[in-house]
Amino acid sequence: MTQLDTEASRTRLSSQAIDLRSDTVTVPDERMRSAMAQAVVGDDVYGEDATVNQLQAEAAELMGFEAGLFMPSGTMTNQVAIAVHTQRGQEVIVPEGAHVYEWELGMMATFSGVVPRFVPAPAGVPAPESVRAGVRRSIHQSPTGLIVLENTHNKAGGTVVPLEVIHGVREVANSEGIPLHLDGARVMNAAVALGVPLAEITRPFDSVSLCLSKGLGAPVGSVLVGSREFIGRAHRYRKMMGGGMRQAGMLAAAGLLALREGPARLTHDHRRARELAQALVNAGFSVDLSSVQTNMVYATVPGAQARVDAWSAQGVKANALGPDTVRFVLHHQITDEMLTRAIAVLGA
Ligand SMILES: *Cc1c(COP(=O)(O)O)cnc(C)c1O
């Protein structure tokens, strides 16, 4: 590269916003785009897209299940799972702040006819006893049709649900005869944080929903995994929701790369999240450092929206999620150099 070229690319980089709003903002690089362009495709509604089939098989295998089903979003994989597991008029036990209710627009009620029963979840982690206390058995109450856990727990700060809690909740589900679903949008982050194989976290569940378009870096897509019988029934609800995508292999090709190569990058996102959290504390903001376990940082910032607007004008984007709450999310397109520049802006 000539001196001028180098300068031009540096200028481009430094004029680009440092986007810490979410790990959904990553864009596919040249390699991913080329894998998408070259994907072998077919009509997936007929089950004939080889790339989609490959992605579904790899995702199922990785999480310890028989089968998988590719869908456009995590909202769809979660809501299809709820539809398959429940009957109208039932309750679904969810941890406080659960994405399946808070950020999925009442779909469990409008599509499946079920209502949430929130159980306390300090730092995103419900105690198995709280889950048991949430179970409804009386003829005078709506019976519990499903228990959902979220790992990592988004609203609690990307916190990890420990294995012993998962096993405790599994025992409750067994003894009550209730299925157990994992909203595992970021379960790969949990596996990396715990240093265990993904299947160790996912196998205790009856179904798991995993996002490819968050930290793993695909532009679109989520996978739902479960038994062959469960996935067979899920097909129908996916179609009802408009998720039958035909030549979806072009998207699945990106998902395959994300699934194979994304996990190795997450450990850097987690390290950078801790660095950012410490820098925010040093700059005088309040951050619960014990909640910074994966790729997110929630900071207490008085006048959050105005601060976020001011930072954005200086090229650093974050999300104001409440009057005094700002969320920062690390992802693989934030380099160490960008983090340093972001910290300089946030600390000024
Ligand atoms: C992002 C996310 C989802 C799915 O969201 P989509 O935007 O529909 O893909 C589900 N659960 C959690 C915890 C999430 O963070």
Side-chain angles (χ1 to χ4, degrees):
M1 265 203 279
T2 67
Q3 174 104 30
L4 257 178
D5 286 340
T6 316
E7 274 172 12
S9 67
R10 269 205 212 104
T11 315
R12 250 198 319 278
L13 196 67
S14 58
S15 62
Q16 232 171 44
I18 299 171
D19 197 340
L20 300 169
R21 287 173 302 167
S22 177
D23 48 9
T24 57
V25 301
T26 61
V27 296
D29 60 14
E30 285 308 319
R31 242 181 97 240
M32 190 174 271
R33 283 165 198 257
S34 131
M36 295 171 78
Q38 282 153 29
V40 175
V41 297
D43 192 329
D44 181 52
V45 173
Y46 290 106
E48 292 171 2
D49 189 301
T51 311
V52 170
N53 291 340
Q54 178 72 25
L55 171 64
Q56 291 173 167
E58 280 192 31
E61 157 105 49
L62 193 62
M63 289 189 266
F65 287 85
E66 287 175 353
L69 194 57
F70 183 53
M71 302 191 209
S73 72
T75 296
M76 195 183 286
T77 47
N78 279 331
Q79 295 303 325
V80 163
I82 290 171
V84 176
H85 284 302
T86 61
Q87 290 169 11
R88 301 184 74 76
Q90 289 185 326
E91 284 187 0
V92 176
I93 292 181
V94 300
E96 268 174 344
H99 194 285
V100 291
Y101 184 72
E102 296 287 358
W103 286 339
E104 296 183 16
L105 301 99
M107 265 296 273
M108 73 165 71
T110 54
F111 191 72
S112 297
V114 294
V115 286
R117 160 81 53 186
F118 289 102
V119 296
V125 181
E129 313 83 74
S130 309
V131 172
R132 195 185 292 281
V135 175
R136 292 293 171 268
R137 311 171 186 86
S138 148
I139 184 79
H140 305 289
Q141 296 172 309
S142 305
T144 306
L146 177 66
I147 300 167
V148 176
L149 291 183
E150 184 173 316
N151 198 9
T152 62
H153 193 294
N154 186 334
K155 252 192 152 181
T159 51
V160 177
V161 179
L163 289 172
E164 55 275 20
V165 171
I166 296 172
H167 294 137
V169 173
R170 178 72 257 179
E171 274 172 32
V172 172
N174 285 349
S175 64
E176 300 287 344
I178 299 170
L180 182 60
H181 171 72
L182 175 64
D183 178 354
R186 295 187 181 82
V187 68
M188 197 71 88
N189 294 80
V192 166
L194 290 173
V196 301
L198 185 61
E200 209 168 305
I201 300 177
T202 52
R203 233 186 272 112
F205 293 86
D206 295 293
S207 58
V208 179
S209 142
L210 166 83
C211 281
L212 301 162
S213 61
K214 304 272 169 82
L216 297 181
V220 178
S222 286
V223 188
L224 177 65
V225 297
S227 68
R228 216 172 297 289
E229 188 268 341
F230 173 87
I231 292 299
R233 291 199 287 148
H235 267 274
R236 181 167 150 252
Y237 293 106
R238 182 183 70 167
K239 193 74 162 64
M240 285 171 82
M241 284 192 193
M245 291 192 291
R246 309 298 177 181
Q247 285 72 28
M250 301 187 82
L251 300 175
L256 269 172
L257 267 188
L259 198 60
R260 291 171 184 166
E261 298 180 8
R265 296 188 296 242
L266 296 179
T267 168
H268 302 289
D269 298 344
H270 296 184
R271 170 181 55 79
R272 291 183 187 117
R274 288 193 301 272
E275 279 176 35
L276 175 60
Q278 191 56 57
L280 287 165
V281 168
N282 296 348
F285 297 106
S286 166
V287 178
D288 174 4
L289 291 176
S290 72
S291 77
V292 184
Q293 299 171 12
T294 57
N295 66 330
M296 294 186 185
V297 181
Y298 279 72
T300 304
V301 178
Q305 190 58 57
R307 289 303 286 267
V308 161
D309 291 343
W311 287 330
S312 178
Q314 294 171 270
V316 178
K317 292 186 181 174
N319 241 328
L321 289 182
D324 59 359
T325 305
V326 175
R327 188 187 73 175
F328 303 86
V329 185
L330 279 296
H331 53 78
H332 76 97
Q333 285 172 343
I334 299 297
T335 61
D336 285 329
E337 186 266 337
M338 288 159 89
L339 181 63
T340 303
R341 280 195 285 131
I343 286 171
V345 169
L346 299 170

